[in-house]
Amino acid sequence: MAGSLLEYETEMFLSLFTTDGLLVTAEGLGIDRILLQFLKIYSEEGSLVLLLNTTIPEQEYFTEQLRAEGVSHLPRTVTSEVQGSERYDVYTQGGVLFVTSRILVVDFLTERIPAHLISGILVYRAHKIIESCQEAFILRLFRQKNKTGFIKAFTDKATAFSSGFCQVERVMRNLFVKKLYLWPRFQASVNGVLERHKPDVVELHVSLTPAMRAIQSAVLDIMNACLKELKRYNPSLEAEDLSLENSLGKPFEKTIRHYLDPLWHQLGAKTKSLVHDLKILRTLLLYLTQYDCVTFLNLLESLHSSQKNFGSNSGWLFLDSSTSMFVNARQRVYTIPESKKKQKVGGGGGEKEQKKKQTPVEVKRVLVLERNPKWEALSEVMREIEKENSSQDAPGRVLICASDDRTCAQLREYIQRGSEALLTRLYHRTIGKGEPVAVAEMGKSTGRRSAKEHGKNSKGKGPKGKQGKAGGKGPKGGLTLTQMVGREEDGDALHSEGEEVLSLGEEEELKEEVVEGDEEEESLDLNLSSDSYYGIVKEPLTVLHPLWGCSDPYSLTRVLHEVEPTYVVLYDAELSFVRQLEIFKASRPGKPLRVYFLIYTGSTEEQRYLTALHKEKQAFEHLIREKATMVVPEEREGRTDTNLDLARSQEPANATTNTRKAGGQEEAKEPTRVIVDMREFRSELPSLLHRRGLDIEPVTLEVGDYILTPELCVERKSVSDLIGSLQSGRLYSQALAMTRFYRRPVLLIEFDPAKPFSLVARGDLRGEISANDITSRLTLLTLHFPRLRLLWCPSPHATAELFQELKRGRAEPDAVAAQAVTAESDTVAESASLYNPGPYDMLLCMPGVSTKNCRALIKHVNSLAELGTLSQERLAEILESASNARQLYEFLHFTPEVSLGQKGKRS
């Protein structure tokens, strides 16, 4: 599928192959093809290469491509399923390995991986390599142990480097590379190759209907008003990032959260409401151009009818623009005749008046059901393709790409059944749910017009519905997925005899959209792989596929190369796929490819696409300028011991040197050690501890997460984990175990540095203790375990510094002893003086005894033997519950009656 590299791709590959560096390409320019070439070269027993930062679908795709190209020594995946004793053998067999970050860190620290044998490391999605992440830790450990291996990094997200101070330089520093290779789309060699093999592009600029344009204008006015309000309430926000143009793009929500998250707990209700409303308005803009008029109105009505949204919105529902939006949205779906409106007012007297009060007048709606303008354009495109195919010996295949499954489902139903049937069905499922079918009648002229327009498509032929292998009832049954069935009564069918439609990808929403509420709809066999369909469909083939939302990121790439379409219809614009099509055409120079590009003129959809292009161009220009002024030290690659990033220091940078000790010479220090639970390597704290000069010993711990000294045990909790543990009761058992076996148990509550350093907002603090309140539960926990200490840390960096202080001048922990601590271990003296854990656990197992009342029993009763002598009345006094006392008393004093006959049998 990958094929041979293009000229500029070969240039990219050779430049990175000869010198280590970071390769940044434009989105969709085939970075996976370059990586695949590297994997092909290193897939041999003589080399050991690690590939970082890939997902499971990507690993499967790369392995599949290498197998197709005849590579014998295929990459292998090392996960937690591979035992620690077996992993060394896997590493020594060589080749390319996909290893999870957590396992790789542990294997580097425990010397299980032969670091001196590693040929190099390939890093995918390199823009995500920040200082404290696991991949950066792996690269640092690798460079400390191996000075000769290569490090090559790949990314196609140039925009990720445009925010932050010297972002690209910081990433290169964490990658230990000196060279930066930039390949934008406007680079001379890239432009030359792709322009030489340009596909035939037909741009169809579709005009919005007057109602759609009015709605769009109204939504933009409301968004502008919301943004102005947001800036007024928060003057510290960057005005440039909160422009109307940027608010249309995908990263807007991420940008606004980036600014507001650290002070979210300090924001007023008005600001939070504005942020929420902006999200709703962005969704409305998306629905306007993406889906049909009924779906859009249904969303709008749900916002209006929802009491919560209506009461909590920031006021945009009361603006004039909002009224205009609702009026136009309803007019796209239905109209109410003037005569019907007048019936509501006026009336007679007496009995007639009484009848009116009892039975309200039904207002009969006349359905308009405005068609999506892009559907008309798609019809024209399909007619043109059909006309060209009829004049060719080998008809060309068609690939239609839409944004998501829901759009694909609507397009498929439109192609198959026509717009009238689709919109009427949607109307009766949503807005007109309670109405009888007769009420929602389309004007007869509308139906005739529809048949007249689309009757041309059938060219006078009455297509016969060909049945697939599945079999079925009637003309609609027995179809595989969405084979085209032409119906004589449905003039909206777009394909002639034998032409079929497939819809691939994530199909859950598609099922709901098409099958639900329509019993006559054909059954869909959706659980097969894409290959399963090609054996049973006839030429010419038409495939519908979503651009986003697939669990497999390479699903569309696979379909593109398997189907090899002659015509591609881009129903929605997507930057990376447009470039993928350019590469697809350039790698097949002799074969024709026509791309139909459908886009709304003067719409937010067009603006989003152009903004994405502009932002990427700006990002590359920024990187080019930064590369020109970048100062890269000679020792950046870490091949010598002079790179300070590889140094591990326990002293802070501003620490003063004592010159009274022999001229300030350093004393040899004993290595300090921290025992870390294996599961903790998902967090960034072990990396920061190692950077500070602490030796990390990874073991599996039953009690605690970090053992700092023989007496000090730490259980680390993030805020979300803390809330979950308090609600489930898991934190109680963890605190109990730490208190039993360690003299200094510590609960560390660690916050995300990007989030507010506050457990609950000020407004949520309560004066009284409540069972559902987090702070109340924490208070009860500290009352229950007086020796438990709470540590609050605003970030992992602060935690690492705190751990270093806690260890200073104290004994080192023993990994074997820490690992041996289990439920059967000896209790520390401080806990043993309070109670004996064995009888305590037995006491909790008795009926009527719980964690709430066991303390009272321990206080009044010295032993289990004494407990058996107490009367039921005395137990009721201690437990403060007659029912609990009765259950416990009956349990302790119950003697089963055994007859003499049974005794004899037993003997």
Side-chain angles (χ1 to χ4, degrees), residues 192-225:
V193 171
L194 296 182
E195 286 294 317
R196 200 160 57 245
H197 305 286
K198 210 161 62 166
D200 180 15
V201 180
V202 179
E203 287 190 20
L204 294 173
H205 292 275
V206 184
S207 298
L208 294 168
T209 63
M212 287 175 78
R213 197 173 293 282
I215 292 168
Q216 178 180 279
S217 178
V219 176
L220 289 174
D221 285 346
I222 298 167
M223 283 183 76
N224 206 15

Side-chain angles (χ1 to χ4, degrees), residues 344-359:
K344 292 183 183 179
V345 187
E351 268 183 68
K352 287 183 181 178
E353 191 68 34
Q354 194 68 25
K355 270 189 181 179
K356 274 196 176 180
K357 284 181 184 176
Q358 288 173 357
T359 55

